[in-house]
């Protein structure tokens, strides 16, 4: 976006620019992506955070803007992706910023915080991790996670526990492996690909 009036460019165009720059994974995109963190359009802002989180080398990120997104309550999806961007870029304040989110009234925020905190082997995350492990796939209640979302969340959580070598979670992982047919199917598929 030029440094002059960015609102003269419509939101769809700004969003397209952010998506393209994010797919390029080039640190030279950072000035535009940082500017997009302030965009009035929620989709532009969201995709800018995603692009930054996915960059293999993200220099000069305006982290204060992403951290501020954790304090807003209008858009839980933006809060969640901001937390994942901080974690994926190994921001030094990730653990400190994620811990209070374990107490969020918004369950997807709690789940994101617990998933992120597995990297740090934080015992404070255990109750939320256990809550995630007990989620059912057949929930059809409006506003609740559906089966595919539950499956993705559980697999992401298990992969993060495995990557962190959090041995104290072995009992919970074993319980999921034994009792969760979706996990057994996923593990069988994963082994057949390797």
């Amino acid at each position: 976006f030029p440094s002059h009036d960015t609102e003269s460019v419509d939101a769809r165009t700004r969003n397209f620019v952010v998506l393209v720059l994010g797919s390029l994974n080039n640190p030279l995109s950072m000035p535009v992506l940082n500017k997009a963190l302030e965009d009035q359009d929620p989709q532009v802002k969201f995709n800018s955070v995603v692009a930054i989180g996915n960059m293999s080398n993200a220099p000069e990120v305006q982290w204060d803007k992403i951290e501020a997104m954790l304090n807003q309550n209008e858009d839980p999806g933006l809060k969640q992706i901001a937390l994942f961007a901080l974690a994926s870029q190994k921001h030094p304040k990730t653990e400190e910023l994620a811990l209070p989110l374990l107490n969020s009234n918004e369950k997807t925020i709690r789940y994101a915080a617990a998933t992120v905190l597995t990297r740090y082997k934080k015992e404070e995350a255990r109750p939320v991790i256990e809550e995630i492990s007990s989620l059912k796939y057949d929930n059809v209640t409006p506003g609740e996670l559906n089966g595919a979302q539950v499956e993705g969340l559980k697999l992401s959580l298990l992969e993060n526990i495995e990557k962190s070598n959090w041995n104290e979670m072995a009992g919970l992982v074993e319980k999921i492996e034994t009792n969760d047919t979706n996990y057994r199917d996923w593990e069988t598929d994963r082994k057949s690909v390797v």
Side-chain angles (χ1 to χ4, degrees):
F1 306 146
S3 58
H4 59 282
D5 182 20
T6 59
E7 298 306 313
S8 65
V9 178
D10 69 276
R12 286 179 55 184
T13 301
R14 293 192 313 272
N15 193 43
F16 177 75
V17 169
V18 166
L19 289 170
V20 168
L21 291 175
S23 70
L24 294 175
N25 195 10
N26 187 324
L28 296 175
S29 304
M30 286 313 304
V32 175
L33 295 176
N34 279 326
K35 179 75 174 160
L37 293 173
E38 300 174 320
D39 201 280
Q40 295 305 307
D41 184 85
Q43 198 64 46
V44 173
K45 190 181 295 188
F46 182 92
N47 285 325
S48 178
V49 177
V50 170
I52 291 169
N54 287 336
M55 291 190 97
S56 55
N57 177 19
E60 301 176 26
V61 174
Q62 293 177 351
W63 289 114
D64 57 323
K65 293 177 184 175
I66 295 177
E67 290 174 22
M69 294 173 187
L70 298 177
N71 297 321
Q72 59 80 33
N73 292 315
E74 298 80 40
D75 187 346
L78 182 61
K79 184 182 280 195
Q80 190 175 359
I81 202 65
L83 181 59
F84 286 134
L86 290 164
S88 71
Q89 292 297 324
K90 297 178 176 69
H91 186 276
K93 290 171 64 176
T94 302
E95 181 179 359
E96 168 191 336
L97 294 167
L99 276 167
L101 298 177
L102 289 171
N103 299 314
S104 173
N105 291 330
E106 178 68 44
K107 66 180 80 176
T108 58
I109 301 302
R110 285 195 315 272
Y111 298 163
T115 302
V116 164
L117 289 168
T118 58
R119 172 179 290 166
Y120 304 96
K121 302 177 185 178
K122 297 303 289 185
E123 277 299 317
E124 295 92 328
R126 185 181 289 270
V128 179
I129 291 169
E130 290 174 355
E131 179 183 346
I132 293 168
S133 73
S134 68
L135 291 173
K136 304 292 181 215
Y137 296 99
D138 58 356
N139 192 349
V140 292
T141 307
E144 297 293 323
L145 298 177
N146 65 34
Q149 291 168 322
V150 169
E151 181 176 35
L153 177 62
K154 285 184 178 184
L155 294 177
S156 175
L157 181 67
L158 290 169
E159 286 176 346
N160 279 301
I161 291 171
E162 183 180 311
K163 286 178 187 174
S164 71
N165 295 314
W166 194 359
N167 298 328
E168 292 79 7
M169 294 299 283
L172 179 66
V173 171
E174 185 177 316
K175 177 180 164 188
I176 293 171
E177 290 173 345
T178 303
N179 299 326
D180 195 315
T181 57
N182 283 41
Y183 175 81
R184 289 196 308 265
D185 294 344
W186 175 78
E187 186 64 20
T188 301
D189 291 344
R190 189 173 83 151
K191 286 179 180 175
S192 68
V193 172
V194 177

